[in-house]
Amino acid sequence: MRERRAVKFELLHGGRRGPRLGRLQIGAIEVPTPAFMPVGTRASVKTLGCEDLEEIGAKLILANTYHLHLRPGADLIQRRGGLHRFMSWEGGILTDSGGFQVHSLAGLRRILPEGVEFRSHLDGSRHLFTPERTVEIQAALGSDIHMVLDVCTTYPAEERQAAAEMETTLRWAERSKRQREQMLSSGAPVGALFGIVQGGLYPRLRQRCARELASLGFDGYALGGLSVGEPASQRPAVMDATLETLPAEDPRYLMGVGTPADILDAVGRGVDLFDCVLPSRNARKGTVFTWDGKMVVKNRVYAEDDTPIDAECGCCACRRYSRAYLRHLFQVGEYLGGRLATIHSLAFYQQLMERIRQAIAEEQFSSFAAATLSRMGVGAVE
Amino acid sequence: MRERRAVKFELLHGGRRGPRLGRLQIGAIEVPTPAFMPVGTRASVKTLGCEDLEEIGAKLILANTYHLHLRPGADLIQRRGGLHRFMSWEGGILTDSGGFQVHSLAGLRRILPEGVEFRSHLDGSRHLFTPERTVEIQAALGSDIHMVLDVCTTYPAEERQAAAEMETTLRWAERSKRQREQMLSSGAPVGALFGIVQGGLYPRLRQRCARELASLGFDGYALGGLSVGEPASQRPAVMDATLETLPAEDPRYLMGVGTPADILDAVGRGVDLFDCVLPSRNARKGTVFTWDGKMVVKNRVYAEDDTPIDAECGCCACRRYSRAYLRHLFQVGEYLGGRLATIHSLAFYQQLMERIRQAIAEEQFSSFAAATLSRMGVGAVE
């Protein structure tokens, strides 16, 4: 069993609201924030090896408890020495609790007081995730940061329902925290634990949830239940209400978001951490992100274009290959197309976060964000 | 347009029969033979980038005229500066003429005196490959070594049919050679040209074909129409008759073969060059080659195996990842599984060829081949 690495966050610049700079320390790994986590749901960032993640400069990735619990199983991964050793990744790993996947993938989900009962989307087998069990599974996986089990309120939801789900989320957060403390006091290895703020699109509920979680005390706080189909116009009020209520000194993580425009907006409000399947999923389908906006590289218009995807990008796809070659790979359905596009888009997201951090350090975030959005054009901002 | 690179072969050890050592020089690229060419049919060795091919030590790859003619088209590749620049590969490229794909993939193939008429397997469009046109297309692609258009005699074939197809192959070889010479004399860039020996399973026909091709004079000679469903027991007589007839000083290429056992056998008879989709295709389906034989890495038995695929292999898959992780990737259907397995199996083939060359240099090829086959077990020899 590998040594559990300590997780610490230091706020270097900014406060409760507005753009922040920070440092998330995971053992010897230093993750400067704001940071974007590539998504490695099933212990693999699709099409990439860990050497590719190192090459693009990723320091922290996300894996998924629901998927890994079903296959290959947390016990098996624990016997391999944990997720880091299993997938040969020295960087940080945050595991999502699986609450969202139980909702979006599993059949016959039933929310019970003790937890959530569901059937596997793979074979229909019956499972029960309790808050306690979910912490245990993540501890067995050996991730550096665990997420509490929550009830993700989706859009649309009446206030009464959002309130009930938020209260359940709070009770489960408390039980998750207690479980972690018991494991710690008995000497069992367990990672840092982040709480998740729910409450639908009701700022009052979000604030109550944030306040209660903060008074319980977690290593970090996530904004859940956003980017689940709600109108984008309703997000700012919810985010602002939540962020101003959360303690300034702890990291804030906006789950499952988003486009470069979404990230610029959220950083401006005070978010430190992001994850999203968008750049990698789009890339596999032939659409990449660049400083000049989204680009459908599989389009015919690039068939004779000898320039790289993005002349400003230094990723190994842009250093070596042309748009014409990528377009050909997508046209004929070669695996390499999705891989090169994924390398580029994830490298681009890392570069975006780096320029964001630089702009914040230089106190020029607003003008940087405006210039970037304008350059990317409306196509990129959706 | 890039400068055409000169192709020269030097026989360093051995003669007309028995194991040989040679050096195929392609511009500044030195390809020690016996050599195995990874297959990059559509300008991509499936799942790998050119940096991966460099990493495993491949110096010469194969691409396919039929496929590239249909998509993206030889004209487009020519406008990009040729195949090397298009796919960003500095090593050597041999292009198959497409005769075999016309036979195996295309619809409504008609062998006419002037060439072969066929319909695209993609959209049914009608095409005519003549010997002259096939050389022109390969010259437009800019490959280093072109193959003549042939008629591939498949198994089973009556002697009369095999003879007729062989005679057509000879006439086409002569026209291919003339076309190349005309292009050369008019200053058009064109690569080296290999003839292809056909004649079914009839040693007498094979010898006539080899003799006639040799008297025409090519830069190298291929053995075609083997590994097309015939009983393995009938191959040795055909190969020996052909190899003893071909000039000793030119390279001999056994097309589409094969397993490690097939390669050891053919090297022992005097073959210098190989290509085969087997290692990469099998790898994508979860079966890899190792010094201890074939291994179905997706099998459950490897679920908790923390050792690399092959402890003797130094490829980047074996240096970093375990059988347990690969088995998981295949079980859940992650792209990375096929990629890592492909990297390993193609690296293994390069290592096999390297040890073969070393054994020949040390005059110990027979005992090396016997020991290798015995170690790989019957499972590997099929």
Side-chain angles (χ1 to χ4, degrees), chain B residues 115-135:
Chain B
V116 52
E117 189 185 54
F118 63 93
R119 287 183 187 280
S120 157
H121 73 289
L122 297 170
D123 61 5
S125 59
R126 214 167 167 138
H127 301 259
L128 177 69
F129 270 2
T130 64
E132 293 81 4
R133 181 79 188 112
T134 310
V135 170

Side-chain angles (χ1 to χ4, degrees), chain A residues 128-349:
Chain A
L128 176 68
F129 271 1
T130 64
E132 293 81 4
R133 180 79 188 111
T134 309
V135 170
E136 279 173 358
I137 293 173
Q138 294 179 81
L141 292 173
S143 61
D144 300 294
I145 301 173
H146 311 333
M147 302 300 299
V148 299
L149 184 68
D150 61 336
V151 182
C152 182
T153 298
T154 50
Y155 180 82
E158 298 283 332
E159 183 162 4
R160 177 189 297 236
Q161 187 197 341
E165 292 179 346
M166 183 273 282
E167 295 294 343
T168 302
T169 294
L170 275 179
R171 281 192 299 274
W172 289 2
E174 189 174 356
R175 284 165 55 191
S176 300
K177 188 180 157 137
R178 201 181 312 126
Q179 174 65 25
R180 175 172 183 267
E181 281 164 359
Q182 280 172 10
M183 289 176 74
L184 272 180
S185 66
S186 73
V190 57
L193 185 65
F194 281 18
I196 303 178
V197 178
Q198 293 289 351
L201 294 177
Y202 305 96
R204 204 185 50 81
L205 295 180
R206 291 274 175 176
Q207 283 181 312
R208 167 164 159 73
C209 192
R211 209 161 35 235
E212 293 297 319
L213 288 176
S215 79
L216 285 167
F218 288 88
D219 299 303
Y221 301 88
L223 287 74
L226 291 173
S227 203
V228 290
E230 76 282 3
S233 61
Q234 298 202 36
R235 265 184 242 157
V238 171
M239 285 174 57
D240 289 344
T242 308
L243 293 166
E244 73 188 13
T245 309
L246 289 172
E249 63 276 16
D250 296 314
R252 295 99 169 265
Y253 160 31
L254 178 55
M255 303 181 84
V257 173
T259 64
D262 291 334
I263 289 175
L264 286 165
D265 176 74
V267 164
R269 298 176 193 283
V271 171
D272 305 307
L273 283 172
F274 300 89
D275 81 281
C276 193
V277 294
L278 187 76
S280 38
R281 181 177 290 167
N282 277 7
R284 291 198 306 281
K285 295 181 181 166
T287 297
V288 293
F289 289 94
T290 78
W291 290 104
D292 294 314
K294 273 208 289 195
M295 179 182 159
V296 186
V297 71
K298 72 177 173 192
N299 275 354
R300 190 191 188 90
V301 67
Y302 301 114
E304 310 232 4
D305 188 336
D306 297 324
T307 63
I309 297 174
D310 190 329
E312 277 180 52
C313 176
C315 81
C316 68
C318 287
R319 282 200 311 270
R320 184 154 195 169
Y321 302 102
S322 67
R323 294 172 175 184
Y325 184 55
L326 260 94
R327 194 265 167 177
H328 163 69
L329 295 175
F330 276 107
Q331 193 199 15
V332 301
E334 279 288 343
Y335 300 82
L336 184 61
R339 174 172 154 79
L340 293 177
T342 301
I343 287 175
H344 167 74
S345 275
L346 290 181
F348 172 79
Y349 265 61

Side-chain angles (χ1 to χ4, degrees), chain A residues 42-43 46 48 50-51 54 72 79-80 86-88 304 306 320-321 325 328 332 334 336 339, chain B residues 42-43 46 48 50-51 54 72 79-80 86-88 304 306 320-321 325 328 332 334 336 339:
Chain A
R42 301 182 296 189
K46 289 190 197 310
L48 304 193
C50 292
E51 53 284 359
E54 288 161 1
R79 287 192 297 271
R80 309 272 71 67
F86 180 59
M87 64 182 289
S88 189
E304 310 232 4
D306 297 324
R320 184 154 195 169
Y321 302 102
Y325 184 55
H328 163 69
V332 301
E334 279 288 343
L336 184 61
R339 174 172 154 79
Chain B
R42 300 183 296 190
K46 291 191 194 308
L48 304 193
C50 292
E51 53 284 358
E54 289 161 1
R79 287 192 297 271
R80 309 272 70 66
F86 180 60
M87 64 183 290
S88 189
E304 309 234 3
D306 297 324
R320 184 154 195 169
Y321 302 101
Y325 183 55
H328 163 69
V332 301
E334 279 287 343
L336 185 61
R339 175 173 152 78

Side-chain angles (χ1 to χ4, degrees), chain A residues 38-90:
Chain A
V39 178
T41 303
R42 301 182 296 189
S44 168
V45 175
K46 289 190 197 310
T47 78
L48 304 193
C50 292
E51 53 284 359
D52 303 309
L53 293 170
E54 288 161 1
E55 164 84 21
I56 65 172
K59 305 277 179 110
L60 176 60
I61 64 171
L62 179 138
N64 190 277
T65 302
Y66 169 84
H67 286 281
L68 293 173
H69 167 72
L70 295 182
R71 293 189 305 194
D75 292 354
L76 185 143
I77 289 180
Q78 187 173 35
R79 287 192 297 271
R80 309 272 71 67
L83 202 42
H84 296 81
R85 195 168 289 172
F86 180 59
M87 64 182 289
S88 189
W89 170 246
E90 280 300 308

